[in-house]
Amino acid sequence: MDLQHWLGRATRAIQDWADTFGPYEPHPSLQVDDRQFAAAFEEFTGRLKDNYPFFHPHYAGQMLKPPHPAAVVGHLTAMLINPNNHALDGGPATAAMEREAVARLAAMFGYDTHLGHLTTSGTIANLEALFVARELHPGRGVAHSADAHYTHGRMCHVLGVASHPVRTDGRGRMDLDALEDVLRTGEVGTVVLTTGTTGLGAVDPVHDVLPIAERYGVRIHVDAAYGGFFTLLAGAEGSEGLAPEPWRAIARCDSVVVDPHKHGLQPYGCGAVLFRDPEVGRFYLHDSPYTYFTSADLHLGEISLECSRAGASAAALWLTFQLLPPTREGLGAVLAAGRRAALRWAELIDASDVLELYQRPELDIVTYFPVLDPPALTAIDAASARILADGMAANPDPVFLSTFRAGRDAFAARHPGIVPDADGARVLRSVLMKPESEHHVDHLHDRLEELARAV
C-alpha cells in the first residue's frame, strides 16, 4: 500500500467534498508564512528523531509499534473534517462507523447483545467498566490479580471503592484459592480478570472463575486491553493456536475492555469498552442543553463518561477493519506471526547457555535473564540493566529491550535455585507484537547472546 499516494488522495477527496458547499477564504488570522512554517517544521521533524525506532524489528522492547497505513489514512482523512463522536450532530458518519466497528469487536468476543463504544484509552475503558460495577454493587469492592495493570488500583481510588489484589500462581495467573478467600468476605462485588497481563502476557483462567463468581454472586469484568485480539487464535491449529477455554468464556462475562491501539493496528488513543447487558446504559443518563436534539437515536455521548471524542479514531478503525477484519484470517494472521516469534525465541533461549527464560510466553511477550554463577537476584538485576543499556548503545546493530521487575517470591516460584539476596530483580522483556519480528528473532537472539556473554 503506497501511503503517500493515499494521503494525497485523502486531502483531495476532502477538498472535493468541501468545494460542494461553495467557495470561501480562510481567515487572515490563520495564515502562516511558508518560510516561517518551513523553519518550524524542520525543528519539529528534527526533534521527532529523538525516539526509539518502534517500527523496526530490532525494537523488541515495550508494546509500541506504528499503526497500519490504512489506519493512518483513515485517521487523517476524517481528521481533515474533525468530527466529534459525542453527539450525532457532531459526527453522523463517524458515529455510524463507530457503531459498526464496535459491533465487530462485540462479535469477536461472542457477545450476542452489547452496549459499547470507543474510548481514548484502555484506562478510561476500565474506568467506565468499574464505574458500572460500582453502581450495580454499591459499597462492595473490586478484586483483581496482583499482576493486573496498575490502572485498576488507581481507578478504584478514583471511584472510591476498595481494591483487593489477589496473589498469582507460578504462571502469573490469578490464584483461585486466594480469590475464594477474598470472595468469602462478602466485600467484593466485581472480579477483574486479565487476558494478557502487560508485564508477562499471562492469561487468567476466565472459564474456571465463572462458576466461582456465580457461586458468590459477583460480576466479572475482563481486562483484555492488551491481549483481547488473541481471542482470534483460540482453538486455532498449529503452534500459534491458544487453548480456547478462557477466551470462549469471555462471552459469558459482564464486560470486557480491549485496546485497538495495541493489536488492532490503530494509532493512540483508541480503546473500547463493551457491556453484555445493554440495560447498564441507564447509569450514564444525563442531560445536555445543546446536544442530543438532532436525532431520536441514541447518541454515543449518552453511553459514555467522556464527552468530546475524535471521530477520526472511529474512522481509522472502521477502514482498517474493511481490509483486516477481526477474524482469524484477518487480524488473526498478524497476531499469529507475533506469537510464532515468541515461541521461536523461547526455543532458542531454552537451548542457550547464557540466557534463561523467566517464564514461558503465553502470547507474544518473552521474559528472560542472563545465566550467572552464582545465580543471585542482585547479580541478575545488575546484569539485566547492563544488557539493556549496552544493547541500546551498540553501534552499529543496536537492539532495544525493556525490563520487568520480578519480586523475590515470584522468582522463587519459577526458579527455586536462585539465591534470594534481594527483594526482587529486573529481568529482560521483549514484546514481539510486530509481525515482522517473526523474521528477525534469530538475529535478536544472537545479539542478546553476544551481550550476555560480554556481561
Side-chain angles (χ1 to χ4, degrees):
M1 168 175 185
D2 187 342
L3 181 59
Q4 290 186 339
H5 168 78
W6 289 107
L7 290 176
R9 288 279 299 271
T11 56
R12 290 194 296 273
I14 296 304
Q15 187 59 55
D16 289 345
W17 169 78
D19 289 343
T20 64
F21 295 94
Y24 78 101
E25 291 292 332
H27 193 273
S29 63
L30 299 174
Q31 297 299 316
V32 175
D33 179 77
D34 273 348
R35 287 174 297 180
Q36 181 185 5
F37 184 81
F41 189 73
E42 183 176 358
E43 179 183 356
F44 168 68
T45 53
R47 294 185 67 168
L48 283 180
K49 294 175 183 176
D50 183 22
N51 265 307
Y52 299 117
F54 307 126
F55 65 93
H56 200 280
H58 290 182
Y59 182 85
Q62 302 289 3
M63 42 191 65
L64 292 162
K65 65 177 180 180
H68 191 275
V72 174
V73 172
H75 199 282
L76 174 69
T77 307
M79 186 179 62
L80 294 172
I81 302 173
N82 201 27
N84 181 349
N85 272 22
H86 177 65
L88 287 174
D89 53 318
T94 50
M97 292 179 187
E98 179 169 339
R99 293 183 191 281
E100 293 170 26
V102 168
R104 299 189 82 162
L105 292 174
M108 180 180 77
F109 288 117
Y111 276 16
D112 294 328
T113 60
H114 75 278
L115 182 79
H117 57 273
L118 300 182
T119 64
T120 52
S121 68
T123 299
I124 297 300
N126 277 308
L127 170 64
E128 296 209 14
L130 297 185
F131 157 71
V132 168
R134 183 192 69 179
E135 299 304 294
L136 285 167
H137 289 295
R140 296 169 71 183
V142 173
H144 55 82
S145 93
D147 283 0
H149 197 277
Y150 59 82
T151 193
H152 296 293
R154 292 177 66 195
M155 294 303 103
C156 283
H157 176 72
V158 168
L159 292 166
V161 300
S163 169
H164 300 269
V166 179
R167 73 168 180 263
T168 56
D169 62 17
R171 292 173 58 186
R173 307 172 306 174
M174 181 180 284
D175 183 282
L176 300 188
D177 291 335
L179 173 62
E180 285 222 56
D181 290 342
V182 172
L183 295 183
R184 286 192 193 99
T185 66
E187 298 175 359
V188 169
T190 297
V191 176
V192 176
L193 300 175
T194 306
T195 50
T197 57
T198 51
L200 298 171
V203 178
D204 283 337
V206 183
H207 55 299
D208 291 330
V209 176
L210 272 168
I212 299 173
E214 184 175 352
R215 189 159 65 245
Y216 288 93
V218 300
R219 303 177 75 257
I220 293 186
H221 167 60
V222 179
D223 181 359
Y226 182 74
F229 284 100
F230 278 96
T231 191
L232 300 172
L233 302 183
E237 296 181 359
S239 61
E240 69 268 15
L242 292 165
E245 292 83 4
W247 307 95
R248 298 280 187 264
I250 294 175
R252 293 183 284 145
C253 296
D254 297 283
S255 56
V256 61
V257 157
V258 65
D259 272 358
H261 66 224
K262 292 189 172 74
H263 289 98
L265 307 179
Q266 300 304 294
Y268 293 106
C270 184
V273 60
L274 298 159
F275 299 95
R276 186 159 56 95
D277 180 10
E279 291 300 313
V280 302
R282 66 187 185 276
F283 297 118
Y284 288 97
L285 287 177
H286 64 280
D287 193 19
S288 170
Y290 61 92
T291 55
Y292 311 145
F293 59 85
T294 58
S295 172
D297 293 337
L298 185 69
H299 298 253
L300 291 167
E302 295 180 275
I303 54 167
S304 171
L305 292 182
E306 296 178 276
C307 291
S308 296
R309 294 178 307 111
S313 294
L317 183 60
W318 183 91
L319 184 58
T320 305
F321 278 177
Q322 305 313 300
L323 305 168
L324 290 167
T327 61
R328 185 170 297 172
E329 298 74 25
L331 274 175
V334 178
L335 276 80
R339 178 159 157 74
R340 286 194 299 268
L343 295 177
R344 167 63 179 163
W345 202 348
E347 290 177 358
L348 293 171
I349 293 173
D350 275 339
S352 175
D353 61 345
V354 292
L355 294 172
E356 184 172 352
L357 281 174
Y358 172 72
Q359 175 171 312
R360 192 157 300 280
E362 285 197 66
L363 303 180
D364 58 3
I365 298 176
V366 187
T367 48
Y368 48 97
F369 59 94
V371 174
L372 300 172
D373 186 17
L377 289 178
T378 52
I380 290 171
D381 184 82
S384 295
R386 171 79 179 276
I387 291 171
L388 175 74
D390 289 354
M392 290 191 294
N395 185 17
D397 205 10
V399 58
F400 301 88
L401 311 169
S402 61
T403 58
F404 173 80
R405 181 165 182 80
R408 177 168 50 198
D409 292 342
F411 227 117
R414 294 162 175 82
H415 302 277
I418 296 295
V419 179
D421 62 343
D423 291 336
R426 284 168 290 181
V427 297
L428 296 164
R429 170 176 169 273
S430 290
V431 180
L432 304 177
M433 64 191 306
K434 293 186 291 291
E436 296 86 355
S437 297
E438 182 177 19
H439 306 300
H440 290 260
V441 162
D442 286 50
H443 175 75
L444 287 170
H445 179 75
D446 289 345
R447 290 289 292 118
L448 260 294
E449 286 202 319
E450 291 174 10
L451 292 165
R453 286 197 171 90
V455 168

